[in-house]
Amino acid sequence: MNPKEKPTTAPPLDGAAQTPTTGVTEKIEKVERCPLCGSRRLSLQFVAHDTLHGMPGEWGVVACSDCRLMWTSPRPTRETVASFYPEEYQPHGGHFAPASPGDRAPLLRRLAGRVLDPKEVVIPDPHRPRRVLEVGCGSGRVLAELADKGWDAHGLEPSAAAVATLRAHRDLPVRVGTIEETTYPSGSFDLIVASMVLEHLHDPIADVVKLRNWLCPGGHLTGSVPNCASWEFRFFGAEWFALQLPTHLFHFTPSTLTLLLEKAGFTHIRIHHQRNVSNLMIHFGRFLEKHRLPSAKIFLDYPTIGPRALRLVVRPAASVLAWSRQAGRISFVAKRSP
Ligand SMILES: [Zn+2]
């Protein structure tokens, strides 16, 4: 946590989260007990806004004094959280859709992305392509790649619009729904992929237990989350791009993520620090924008129109963060316990 952020407004909570002024009080709930260890010894870390989409409200980030898990409180309820995702929410967007067969340019872009960010999805090795479920598959970019590599690829995605985009491009078995409201028979999958999903869940332990039960014995869960034990979080503090309040309900570190996976019945847990170039570019762009510096737009627009050479400059910095285990995004692989 950024030391500059510590003198925030509120004293330790002693078991009760304060309610920042949100202006949307009918849509929120407080989480006053640690979902991971049950402790009521909580402290408010800081209050922040939605810096990603500029949606209204102020949101608290609370930490458990015992296991150090951090979460958003108050937060949107299960019933209202969808209203905090704007229509242009990137993973639901059409531009993530896979290419139609024969279209070479998107394939090259996908391959380039893999080279630059090779640990976006870590497939445990050895693992022959068999039956995989991607939860939170969005409009299907990763799911289509897995299918193209020979996996019997199934998807689950709460956004009907994203699934409609996927179905317009590919005929893959995808359900619309959340983990909580969906049922698959026990032992259905050899691998479950959950990229940037766990931080969005209202009850991650219950949902990850469900994912465990959907795996066959010896099956693996793999995925990624933002990493709060990172240089990026310490540097940007409450304005860190990857906080994404209020749609990110939990804010993990390698140790709290490991605790969650262990508690949900996983073993052989491995954490990888991603060499994430795009995140770093956007973080810098937002920082520069705040200080009204002219180069901000180059960073913010980079993923679509920015100069390609800029990536080559930022890439070594992202590599240093990954090698020093300070990356802002981590991947994990965990094996279903017997
Ligand atoms: Zn705790």
Side-chain angles (χ1 to χ4, degrees):
M1 141 118 246
N2 185 343
K4 287 183 294 186
E5 303 298 335
K6 278 194 172 168
T8 45
T9 53
L13 296 181
D14 296 328
Q18 282 198 349
T19 304
T21 304
T22 66
V24 286
T25 51
E26 73 283 3
K27 296 182 174 181
I28 63 173
E29 63 185 7
K30 290 189 284 187
V31 181
E32 298 177 330
R33 187 172 176 180
C34 175
L36 198 49
C37 75
S39 173
R40 291 185 179 275
R41 297 199 313 129
L42 318 178
S43 62
L44 182 64
Q45 302 297 293
F46 53 84
V47 174
H49 301 265
D50 175 1
T51 59
L52 183 59
H53 303 113
M55 301 285 275
E58 290 182 331
W59 309 96
V61 171
V62 172
C64 171
S65 300
D66 291 309
C67 75
R68 305 309 304 165
L69 180 68
M70 292 196 294
W71 62 90
T72 304
S73 181
R75 68 183 187 182
T77 66
R78 284 178 171 81
E79 292 73 29
T80 62
V81 72
S83 68
F84 291 92
Y85 289 87
E87 285 185 10
E88 66 271 21
Y89 182 63
Q90 192 183 45
H92 297 168
H95 60 282
F96 264 16
S100 57
D103 186 346
R104 297 178 62 117
L107 175 62
L108 291 174
R109 279 206 296 272
R110 290 204 303 274
L111 291 174
R114 276 290 180 280
V115 171
L116 291 167
D117 191 6
K119 292 195 173 72
E120 182 181 356
V121 177
V122 179
I123 305 294
D125 189 42
H127 219 300
R128 286 181 293 129
R130 295 167 81 175
R131 202 157 192 240
V132 61
L133 171 70
E134 186 187 10
V135 294
C137 63
S139 48
R141 181 175 58 91
V142 171
L143 196 65
E145 287 188 28
L146 289 166
D148 291 342
K149 289 176 180 172
W151 288 82
D152 177 11
H154 298 246
L156 176 63
E157 165 60 46
S159 165
V163 172
T165 303
L166 189 158
R167 285 176 176 155
H169 290 80
R170 293 289 292 264
D171 181 20
L172 293 171
V174 179
R175 295 189 189 178
V176 177
T178 63
I179 298 169
E180 182 188 21
E181 65 197 18
T182 302
T183 301
Y184 290 99
S186 180
S188 291
F189 301 101
D190 302 284
L191 176 68
I192 293 179
V193 178
S195 296
M196 309 305 279
V197 165
L198 304 187
E199 67 275 17
H200 292 269
L201 303 177
H202 278 80
D203 188 349
I205 293 178
D207 284 353
V208 176
V209 166
K210 237 177 148 176
L211 298 182
R212 177 196 174 278
N213 293 335
W214 294 347
L215 284 168
C216 62
H220 287 87
L221 173 66
T222 184
S224 56
V225 295
N227 174 23
C228 285
S230 63
W231 171 85
E232 290 174 19
F233 181 55
R234 284 193 298 278
F235 186 80
F236 292 105
E239 296 183 20
W240 186 37
F241 163 72
L243 271 180
Q244 297 190 16
L245 301 178
T247 56
H248 284 188
L249 306 179
F250 286 86
H251 310 281
F252 294 105
T253 64
S255 53
T256 57
L257 175 64
T258 299
L259 275 174
L260 167 68
L261 293 168
E262 287 174 345
K263 189 154 187 165
F266 285 90
T267 62
H268 299 79
I269 297 159
R270 287 183 288 131
I271 305 287
H272 302 268
H273 287 250
Q274 291 189 16
R275 191 176 58 195
N276 191 301
V277 176
S278 298
N279 256 12
L280 208 55
M281 303 282 265
I282 296 171
H283 298 161
F284 274 116
R286 290 188 173 276
F287 182 80
L288 296 172
E289 186 178 53
K290 181 191 173 191
H291 293 87
R292 300 176 184 276
L293 294 171
S295 50
K297 190 168 170 51
I298 296 174
F299 286 87
L300 292 172
D301 288 348
Y302 174 74
T304 53
I305 64 171
R308 192 172 294 266
L310 205 54
R311 185 180 288 258
L312 299 177
V313 176
V314 175
R315 188 177 170 187
S319 295
V320 169
L321 291 178
W323 292 331
S324 58
R325 304 184 70 77
Q326 291 293 319
R329 187 183 290 191
I330 48 177
S331 300
F332 60 91
V333 179
K335 186 177 182 180
R336 180 192 146 149
S337 59

